[in-house]
Amino acid sequence: MKKMFHTTARIGLAIGILCLAGASTGYLTMSSFRRHAATASGTVIDMVSYHNGGDLTYAPVVTYYDKKRKRHTYISHAYATPAAYTIGEGVYVFYNPQHPEEAQLVPFNTHTGLMVLLVVGLLAGGMGIGLLYYRRSASHPQNWLLPNGRSVAVEFIKMKK
């Protein structure tokens, strides 16, 4: 039981660290790209479908024009069920001015995934740290007793087997 408790705490801590690392890496990557990116208005011209374990998911194909008025087509890597966009819908696009074919859509829920990772990371990591701390303090009652306990005088009478 003690070993399972300790293993659960370590797994929670590991999941927390991985989620926090993923959230911070995702945020830094996205904000770095967007800090140097140019924006353009685009139009969804088609939808690409993909079978994902029996479900049909969709990603938009977007066309947009860079600052030099050159047309680019971008196929999003964000698939959704149901489709998050419709053909003909206007969208905003972030693109790399040096390489305009490198683009990202500006979905309203971009930060939602990062926030979920952050919350899961904080909860799992906090649980892992809490369990490890609890286990450590519970396994050594003298750590609590020495500063907080009271000395009691007793007389030894008898011991049973």
Side-chain angles (χ1 to χ4, degrees):
M1 183 69 167
K2 291 179 184 178
K3 188 167 185 126
M4 188 173 105
F5 191 83
H6 194 66
T7 302
T8 303
R10 286 180 180 234
I11 289 172
L13 188 57
I15 289 171
I17 290 169
L18 290 173
C19 287
L20 291 173
S24 62
T25 300
Y27 177 77
L28 291 173
T29 301
M30 181 179 63
S31 64
S32 173
F33 178 80
R34 291 187 177 179
R35 188 173 27 257
H36 304 323
T39 58
S41 294
T43 305
V44 177
I45 59 169
D46 197 8
M47 298 298 289
V48 176
S49 61
Y50 175 74
H51 285 281
N52 184 12
D55 292 333
L56 194 57
T57 59
Y58 302 93
V61 179
V62 176
T63 185
Y64 62 96
Y65 292 89
D66 64 16
K67 302 255 188 235
K68 296 177 184 175
R69 300 269 185 220
K70 184 176 178 194
R71 180 181 171 175
H72 298 277
T73 302
Y74 168 70
I75 301 173
S76 175
H77 300 290
Y79 287 81
T81 301
Y85 301 94
T86 58
I87 294 175
E89 182 178 350
V91 294
Y92 290 104
V93 178
F94 281 117
Y95 68 91
N96 182 341
Q98 283 76 33
H99 302 282
E101 64 281 353
E102 295 175 11
Q104 290 180 357
L105 292 182
V106 186
F108 70 93
N109 62 353
T110 301
H111 292 88
T112 304
L114 297 176
M115 289 302 292
V116 168
L117 269 179
L118 179 66
V119 169
V120 168
L122 290 173
L123 289 174
M127 179 197 72
I129 290 171
L131 289 174
L132 286 173
Y133 177 77
Y134 173 77
R135 178 71 186 115
R136 181 180 174 113
S137 65
S139 67
H140 302 289
Q142 67 270 18
N143 290 343
W144 183 87
L145 284 174
L146 288 174
N148 299 309
R150 250 187 327 163
S151 178
V152 178
V154 295
E155 182 179 324
F156 182 73
I157 299 173
K158 182 178 178 184
M159 186 171 112
K160 287 186 177 180
K161 281 189 176 186

